[in-house]
Amino acid sequence: MKTKLAIKAGVLAAMLACAGIAHAELTIGVVMSLTGPGSGLGIPAKNGFALWPETIAGEKVKMIILDDATDPTQASKNARRLVAEDKVDLIIGSAAVPPTLAIADVALETQTVQLAISPIETAEGKDAWTFRLPQSTAVMAGGVVNQMKKLGVKTIGFLGYSDSYGENWLKEVQRLATAAGMKMGTVERFSRADTSVTAQALRVVSSNPDAVLVVASGSGAAMPHKALIERGYKGKIFQTHSAASRDLIRLGGKDVEGAYVISGPAVVPEALPDSNASKKLAMDFVTRYEKQFGAGSRNLFAAHTYDAQLVLQKVVPEALKKAKPGTPAFRAALKEALETSGPIQITQGTLNYSPKDHFGLGDDARIMLTIQNGNWKAVNP
Amino acid sequence: MDSSIAAILTLDGLTNGIVYGLIAIALVLVFTVTRILFIPQGEFVAYGALTLAMLQQGQRPGPLWLLLVLALCAAGMQAASLLRAGQAALLPRALLGTLGVPLVIAALVWWAAPQQFALPVQVLLTLLLITALGPLMYQVVYESMADASVLQLLIVSVGIHLAMTGLGLVFFGAEGFRTPAFWDERWNLASLTLSAQTVVVVAAAAALLVALWFFSGRTLYGKALRATAVNRLGARLMGISTTLAGKLSFAVAAFIGALSGVLIGPMSTIFYDSGFLIGLKGFVAATIGALASFPAAAGGALLVGLLESFSSFWASDFKEVIVFLALLPILLWRSLVIPAHDEDEE
């Protein structure tokens, strides 16, 4: 009889303990493109979680990672599952634009904060619960157009993905370039799975623009670049921040020498002046990340998920003052804290979210790089 | 557009078209012999290119493990069926026959991978490894359902395609690779730049066609394949093993896929999932040949290559649309010219 009672007491104690932990736990749902065409971005982004601390603001972090296969439908399903069944406090993801947009809809509907890893553009008010960690396309395109202006570029050619990433860039560059008195010339498209871009490159080269902007991501950015060089293009070639990874140099070889690549500062913190507020954080990220994943493995997507943790360190204590994790009140408090507790220093620059602006990053969050002798070099701003 | 641009586009289109042609020929071969619409043919292309890239870096390529697993599955299935038939005495010989060659190839690749031999040796290793996958895949997946309907076989093929794409991500990672050119030279002919890789593609394709012609016309196995293609039942009545014919056609298909991959690797960045689109274009070409005629399929492939090249010049946004829409007039024409026939009639 006594033993039975002891067991009962033990079970009760264990249940209480479990319940106690469940309350003091920050549940984070992650939806990431680990397979499909976006996996080149999603896999390094997932690697960034390896650098997360075990607790944030004294709360144990519980993470549930789901794969969306770069498919918006799957991403939306995952997000719903995370909110309905796992009662997550916030959602991080995804790395590619289409699934991220799908998650944003769920985030708005279920009133759950989303930290987006890709710079999605949404309709007015649709992003009420979505906060982006990457720089907006407008910020990055601004950097590209500034550099073009400095080099005296008059006409621009465009060779980019036939998807929403290419479309966003085209729209922004067209707007900024026209305002700066430059002319947008030939616009050509290709898709990531294409085995040849000779025809498009030919058309761009034959219109002979002063500079060509290549909009592609990861290792997919090397082929159009090489095609331009092979067709005898002698002008300046610009690449977007999705191409700012080692793969461009690995696959492009000597053909990408001298290319201009816009990037967040996290990829080359060594090139930043000591006065830059992001330098210390970015150096810390790069050293720790490369220690774990090998020299030269640094990339912007891992930096974004590393930044997510920096953001939470700052806003979770604020939100905890108002509510307990696992409740709708906590989610609302988290949103409010994100909108009001800026500025937040991250590896990419300084985040300044406001109720109106859910992008947060400004012009300090970009850096123009060029490739010299198979390595990155910062172009003096 | 002037003549020089047209010439460049034609050359580019033909180079790609030849690769699609090789794939189309493999598709036609597999379909005529086994009635399987082999969707994963494109995956063999990606596997070939990426295996070579892995060997270039001195890493052991992932398909090595796939080969071993498939060989073990095949051996297990064989052992089970022999035991069920009460023929345990035949077991050692049968197992040796199934496991022997794959094990030797796997061991060879395992040993050779870190040594970083010269490019031709690595190409040979790649061809060997990927070709060995073909017959084992037939044995494990299709052999037991060889008499199923074309639709069932097609559904299984789609499954294999999805499985192979997923495995490709595990084996090679998400980032693409580009293998070094066999012959890094460019000649300027007036306004046209002829790269040596194009010459290599043409030469390799020509050599393959001659070899296939010789194989099917002059060797016993080739004749057996042709007989099975003409009439499965008749071939079986004449003592030709349709299982052997199936395995053989898969070996040829895998070899052609690996070769196409090795050829296309230096011209384009290949990702783990690039194979599908390449395979699909081969499929369009094969459809032009009604999945029956080799010359028509090869001609169709050149047409697809040219169509792709010119449409990406004039309307790059709609390139894929134009290429795949080209199927419609072809299917329409075929259905008008040749009356539909029911496959159950066979």
Side-chain angles (χ1 to χ4, degrees):
Chain A
M1 202 58 201
K2 248 187 184 166
T3 45
K4 236 181 187 173
L5 195 71
I7 291 171
K8 266 186 189 165
V11 169
L12 196 67
M15 275 168 72
L16 279 175
C18 285
I21 290 170
H23 268 294
E25 217 174 38
L26 191 65
T27 317
I28 298 174
V30 178
V31 183
M32 208 52 87
S33 311
L34 302 178
T35 53
S39 52
L41 325 174
I43 291 171
K46 180 180 166 255
N47 288 344
F49 289 121
L51 307 181
W52 274 46
E54 297 226 327
T55 58
I56 286 174
E59 301 284 317
K60 201 163 172 307
V61 175
K62 185 183 162 200
M63 202 177 279
I64 303 158
I65 303 182
L66 300 178
D67 174 25
D68 63 30
T70 327
D71 173 13
T73 323
Q74 187 62 40
S76 163
K77 258 193 266 177
N78 286 349
R80 274 181 207 289
R81 192 209 112 165
L82 288 170
V83 175
E85 283 179 31
D86 301 306
K87 309 262 182 284
V88 295
D89 295 307
L90 77 153
I91 299 176
I92 299 180
S94 176
V97 167
T100 313
L101 280 168
I103 299 169
D105 286 340
V106 180
L108 180 68
E109 189 190 314
T110 59
Q111 309 214 313
T112 313
V113 168
Q114 174 196 15
L115 289 178
I117 305 293
S118 66
I120 52 168
E121 302 282 346
T122 61
E124 185 83 21
K126 282 276 193 189
D127 63 346
W129 290 81
T130 301
F131 297 81
R132 294 103 170 153
L133 289 166
Q135 299 81 347
S136 65
T137 311
V139 167
M140 289 310 210
V144 167
V145 171
N146 279 351
Q147 186 67 33
M148 285 179 173
K149 205 154 61 176
K150 216 179 294 172
L151 294 168
V153 170
K154 289 274 173 291
T155 48
I156 308 170
F158 181 94
L159 185 56
Y161 276 171
S162 51
D163 63 6
S164 45
Y165 185 64
E167 202 58 45
N168 276 345
W169 264 93
L170 179 62
K171 216 173 65 198
E172 290 299 338
V173 169
Q174 208 146 24
R175 184 172 65 82
L176 293 166
T178 317
M182 288 181 253
K183 217 174 124 275
M184 197 78 196
T186 327
V187 174
E188 287 296 314
R189 303 299 174 78
F190 63 98
S191 79
R192 180 174 169 277
D194 281 359
T195 48
S196 163
V197 282
T198 308
Q200 292 94 320
L202 203 60
R203 208 169 161 96
V204 172
V205 174
S206 62
S207 73
N208 201 22
D210 297 335
V212 177
L213 175 66
V214 176
V215 181
S217 68
S219 39
M223 191 175 65
H225 201 123
K226 278 177 96 83
L228 287 170
I229 302 283
E230 272 162 24
R231 298 268 72 92
Y233 183 65
K234 295 275 187 289
K236 307 267 182 289
I237 302 179
F238 285 78
Q239 291 266 5
T240 64
H241 54 304
S242 270
S245 77
R246 274 271 152 199
D247 291 310
L248 182 65
I249 300 175
R250 171 172 66 86
L251 292 166
K254 62 179 189 319
D255 285 346
V256 296
E257 283 288 309
Y260 289 94
V261 184
I262 190 84
S263 164
V267 177
V268 276
E270 293 91 342
L272 296 175
D274 284 333
S275 58
N276 190 306
S278 293
K279 179 162 185 174
K280 207 166 137 281
L281 285 169
M283 279 304 283
D284 174 58
F285 158 70
V286 165
T287 344
R288 281 178 58 201
Y289 190 81
E290 298 209 332
K291 205 169 139 200
Q292 192 156 351
F293 295 99
S297 58
R298 60 180 79 172
N299 62 80
L300 280 181
F301 293 92
H304 292 322
T305 39
Y306 179 84
D307 285 342
Q309 163 260 134
L310 292 174
V311 170
L312 291 181
Q313 306 259 22
K314 174 108 182 187
V315 296
V316 169
E318 297 288 320
L320 277 176
K321 282 180 203 159
K322 289 184 187 142
K324 277 255 170 280
T327 59
F330 181 75
R331 302 207 296 262
L334 211 53
K335 173 180 191 280
E336 204 193 314
L338 277 164
E339 283 172 351
T340 53
S341 57
I344 308 169
Q345 196 60 53
I346 59 171
T347 60
Q348 307 281 6
T350 315
L351 272 177
N352 263 313
Y353 291 131
S354 71
K356 284 229 153 59
D357 180 14
H358 283 190
F359 269 108
L361 285 171
D363 290 353
D364 65 330
R366 66 181 182 219
I367 177 169
M368 184 54 89
L369 303 173
T370 177
I371 299 169
Q372 217 171 57
N373 303 324
N375 215 339
W376 298 115
K377 188 176 169 290
V379 177
N380 285 333
Chain B
M1 170 180 283
D2 54 29
S3 62
S4 70
I5 290 178
I8 294 171
L9 289 178
T10 310
L11 189 66
D12 188 56
L14 288 179
T15 317
N16 274 321
I18 287 171
V19 175
Y20 298 151
L22 292 180
I23 295 164
I25 284 173
L27 286 172
V28 172
L29 177 75
V30 169
F31 184 75
T32 49
V33 173
T34 65
R35 298 174 305 124
I36 296 169
L37 277 175
F38 195 51
I39 311 285
Q41 180 64 30
E43 260 66 61
F44 281 134
V45 179
Y47 273 38
L50 293 169
T51 299
L52 182 60
M54 289 273 127
L55 288 173
Q56 280 284 317
Q57 297 180 347
Q59 291 173 14
R60 296 193 172 105
L64 188 71
W65 308 114
L66 183 62
L67 179 69
L68 287 177
V69 169
L70 280 177
L72 284 177
C73 284
M77 287 162 73
Q78 211 168 22
S81 75
L82 279 178
L83 286 177
R84 213 180 300 132
Q87 294 174 307
L90 293 174
L91 209 54
R93 216 178 135 213
L95 287 188
L96 191 71
T98 312
L99 284 173
V101 176
L103 281 183
V104 170
I105 291 175
L108 185 66
V109 176
W110 169 269
W111 166 78
Q115 320 267 343
Q116 293 195 302
F117 287 113
L119 188 62
V121 181
Q122 289 177 338
V123 170
L124 278 180
L125 285 172
T126 306
L127 294 178
L128 208 57
L129 179 63
I130 304 299
T131 307
L133 287 175
L136 281 172
M137 190 168 285
Y138 180 77
Q139 203 173 353
V140 172
V141 181
Y142 293 103
E143 194 186 312
S144 58
M145 54 177 300
D147 294 321
S149 71
V150 171
L151 182 64
Q152 281 168 319
L153 291 169
L154 173 68
I155 292 169
V156 170
S157 294
V158 172
I160 300 290
H161 152 68
L162 291 174
M164 279 184 82
T165 317
L167 284 174
L169 180 62
V170 177
F171 292 155
F172 309 111
E175 289 304 334
F177 289 94
R178 211 179 167 119
T179 52
F182 297 118
W183 187 11
D184 210 358
E185 187 85 53
R186 285 178 202 169
W187 300 284
N188 287 317
L189 309 167
S191 63
L192 199 63
T193 316
L194 184 64
S195 82
Q197 187 62 24
T198 311
V199 178
V200 172
V201 171
V202 175
L208 184 81
L209 288 182
V210 171
L212 274 180
W213 171 76
F214 182 79
F215 172 74
S216 66
R218 300 293 171 86
T219 65
L220 190 60
Y221 286 114
K223 285 176 182 167
L225 268 189
R226 263 169 62 203
T228 322
V230 173
N231 189 326
R232 276 174 78 77
L233 187 64
R236 205 185 289 170
L237 290 175
M238 290 298 113
I240 295 167
S241 157
T242 42
T243 306
L244 181 70
K247 279 200 214 169
L248 206 55
S249 68
F250 265 66
V252 175
F255 175 77
I256 292 177
L259 183 72
S260 317
V262 166
L263 290 176
I264 208 169
M267 299 191 296
S268 165
T269 313
I270 298 291
F271 298 84
Y272 73 97
D273 59 351
S274 298
F276 183 58
L277 213 54
I278 302 174
L280 218 49
K281 285 179 188 142
F283 187 75
V284 174
T287 314
I288 295 176
L291 283 166
S293 157
F294 289 102
L302 296 183
L303 190 71
V304 170
L306 287 175
L307 191 62
E308 186 186 41
S309 169
F310 279 87
S311 56
S312 45
F313 184 81
W314 276 312
S316 60
D317 297 13
F318 300 107
K319 188 193 81 178
E320 255 27 304
V321 182
I322 293 171
V323 170
F324 290 113
L325 267 185
L327 260 180
L328 289 184
I330 291 159
L331 291 176
L332 197 65
W333 169 67
R334 288 225 81 100
S335 68
L336 289 176
V337 173
I338 304 154
H341 87 111
D342 203 344
E343 63 154 295
D344 294 335
E345 284 172 22
E346 284 176 25

